[in-house]
Amino acid sequence: MLKVENKASTLNGINEFGGLVFPPSQILEGYHIERKRAEPMSIQEQKILPAIRKMKDLEKLLQSSFEYIVLLDSHIGQLKSIVDLVKSHQKKLLLHVDLVEGLKNDEHAAEFLCQSIKPAGLISTRGNVIVKAKQNGLIAIQRVFLLDSSALEKSYLMVERTQPDYIEVLPGVMPNFITEVRERVGIPIFAGGLIRTVTDVENALNAGATAVTTSQMELWRHYSE
């Protein structure tokens, strides 16, 4: 269990936004948390990038060896507290900007996230968000959906313009396309979406993916051992 010493109460009574469930005592800014932690691994060493939607899942990851964590559904009112919590455990948060409730998806919102929230990186399908993340020195991850050949070609053009640090390819269960994208753009690839088994993960990694993003806890456990 978390040991929480509250030092503020401005958000007391708020306990749920956008699918992330937080006990009131855990969303306050300025708290102190004591917990034993495993030695962290770097983003280049992580075969799995765990993606979370619920606070109970984040609590588990804060005790794990994973250094980088992906935050999916969230609310703008919780982001600062979540990022501070993750940082207090020497972890790094990769924020999915497109899934933040209460936040407009434009360059001004991206600037706010970079300057005020300060996660380790931003994930988005939008080129302006990627550009803003790079301008502010954050990890920039461009999401690309493999819907059809036309969408893929448009994605290549955007990636050429934005030059993200990483590309997240979805769905991640098509090894041939992971190889194609990696060879075409020369940028490290994350594979995500419909990844359910160790075989899925290994196929993606063997095809050239640097890591796999997944919300499957069974895979978190397998690759953290």
Side-chain angles (χ1 to χ4, degrees):
M1 294 294 292
L2 289 173
K3 297 181 181 179
V4 181
E5 177 186 345
N6 292 330
K7 296 184 180 179
S9 60
T10 56
L11 295 179
N12 192 29
I14 301 174
N15 62 7
E16 185 172 354
F17 282 113
L20 272 167
V21 180
F22 288 78
S25 62
Q26 292 178 12
I27 62 172
L28 303 177
E29 296 185 21
Y31 46 69
H32 174 69
I33 298 176
E34 297 179 359
R35 188 196 293 281
K36 294 181 179 179
R37 292 184 297 271
E39 285 296 318
M41 56 180 71
S42 75
I43 197 168
Q44 296 297 333
E45 296 171 334
Q46 280 191 219
K47 292 182 178 181
I48 290 291
L49 291 172
I52 62 106
R53 288 188 171 89
K54 297 180 180 179
M55 183 61 183
K56 64 180 181 180
D57 295 337
L58 178 58
E59 290 179 5
K60 295 172 183 176
L61 288 172
L62 292 178
Q63 302 177 70
S64 74
S65 60
F66 294 117
E67 182 179 7
Y68 288 86
I69 300 169
V70 177
L71 178 61
L72 298 176
D73 301 336
S74 59
H75 188 280
I76 184 62
Q78 291 183 323
L79 287 181
K80 181 61 175 174
S81 295
I82 297 170
V83 171
D84 289 348
L85 172 61
V86 171
K87 287 181 177 179
S88 74
H89 287 72
Q90 287 74 56
K91 308 290 187 184
K92 296 180 174 65
L93 193 73
L94 303 174
L95 175 62
H96 197 310
V97 179
D98 302 349
L99 299 180
V100 178
E101 292 189 13
L103 184 73
K104 187 175 181 180
N105 232 337
D106 59 19
E107 62 182 35
H108 301 294
E111 183 72 26
F112 166 75
L113 293 174
C114 294
Q115 295 294 326
S116 299
I117 306 300
K118 300 179 180 179
L122 300 182
I123 304 171
S124 180
T125 59
R126 301 176 66 87
N128 57 352
V129 172
I130 300 305
V131 170
K132 189 61 65 176
K134 293 195 67 176
Q135 290 174 348
N136 284 273
L138 273 63
I139 299 171
I141 304 170
Q142 179 86 56
R143 251 194 169 195
V144 172
F145 288 91
L146 304 178
L147 301 177
D148 53 35
S149 297
S150 177
L152 182 57
E153 289 301 321
K154 290 178 181 178
S155 295
Y156 285 144
L157 293 175
M158 177 176 289
V159 167
E160 184 178 351
R161 178 173 64 85
T162 60
Q163 289 296 302
D165 299 304
Y166 297 91
I167 299 172
E168 184 183 21
V169 173
L170 297 98
V173 289
M174 295 191 290
N176 290 342
F177 283 98
I178 293 173
T179 302
E180 177 185 328
V181 174
R182 183 72 175 86
E183 293 177 350
R184 174 80 173 263
V185 302
I187 295 173
I189 301 293
F190 297 153
L194 302 179
I195 301 286
R196 297 173 177 171
T197 67
V198 172
T199 299
D200 292 337
V201 173
E202 294 300 321
N203 286 342
L205 296 174
N206 291 334
T210 298
V212 169
T213 60
T214 179
S215 58
Q216 297 288 328
M217 284 187 284
E218 294 82 2
L219 295 176
W220 303 352
R221 286 191 289 267
H222 180 84
Y223 285 95
S224 65
E225 295 176 352

